[in-house]
Amino acid sequence: MFSKACEYGIKASIFIATNSFEGKRVSPKEIAMEIDSPQAFTAKILQALVKHDIINSIKGAYGGFEISRDKIATIKLNQIVKAIDGDSIYNGCGLGLHKCDEAHPCPVHDKFKAIRDGLKHMLENTSLEELALNIKSGASFLKV
């Protein structure tokens, strides 16, 4: 459903938020290792997240990536998805047809619309804080 870059962007944001709760900055290498992503690919994803003001990049010997603690609660998953994949996930056809709308629906149009609407609601109402706290408490995991 999400591109690989978007999956990595969500996982990276959760990992950075989890560490930011403890006042730690993380390096691109640490992030790539934690989310099982190639380091160069991870760097491009992190640049997009910085550009969209989701994460902060700190230069220097004690630099790395972080998210301010007060900001973690305000960041929703839809912001991360939009930064990486845009909003095409809300508009695309379930069967990948180029032209699929109310006037010319594909066979799964109505059923897929309900799924898209549910996904949009979940992304707009799930905060990075919620996900990071679930990681910290052991209720969920980024790695198996």
Side-chain angles (χ1 to χ4, degrees):
M1 186 155 283
F2 299 117
S3 70
K4 201 55 140 167
C6 190
E7 289 176 12
Y8 289 147
I10 292 169
K11 289 194 266 186
S13 297
I14 295 168
F15 179 66
I16 295 165
T18 303
N19 281 276
S20 293
F21 272 127
E22 298 169 7
K24 296 179 189 170
R25 293 181 183 139
V26 287
S27 72
K29 184 177 182 178
E30 290 173 288
I31 296 166
M33 285 178 55
E34 179 65 24
I35 66 172
D36 259 345
S37 170
Q39 198 169 339
F41 192 39
T42 303
K44 289 182 186 234
I45 294 164
L46 295 172
Q47 286 174 349
L49 294 172
V50 168
K51 180 181 173 189
H52 286 88
D53 201 31
I54 293 167
I55 63 174
N56 300 320
S57 174
I58 310 300
K59 307 269 188 244
Y62 299 101
F65 292 93
E66 66 179 13
I67 304 169
S68 63
R69 291 185 81 177
D70 58 326
K71 192 173 174 186
I72 294 172
T74 67
I75 298 171
K76 304 293 186 193
L77 280 184
N78 70 313
Q79 293 170 264
I80 299 167
V81 171
K82 187 172 183 179
I84 307 295
D85 280 352
D87 61 1
S88 63
I89 193 164
Y90 306 123
N91 306 315
C93 172
L95 296 179
L97 302 179
H98 294 288
K99 176 142 172 72
C100 175
D101 55 30
E102 299 292 327
H104 294 94
C106 75
V108 298
H109 182 81
D110 292 331
K111 291 181 186 282
F112 196 70
K113 183 178 182 329
I115 293 167
R116 263 198 326 259
D117 291 346
L119 177 64
K120 184 175 184 180
H121 181 265
M122 183 275 292
L123 293 173
E124 289 174 345
N125 291 286
T126 303
S127 71
L128 203 48
E129 178 182 55
E130 175 186 342
L131 301 176
L133 290 175
N134 283 341
I135 297 289
K136 282 179 59 77
S137 73
S140 60
F141 305 89
L142 278 177
K143 276 186 161 180
V144 183

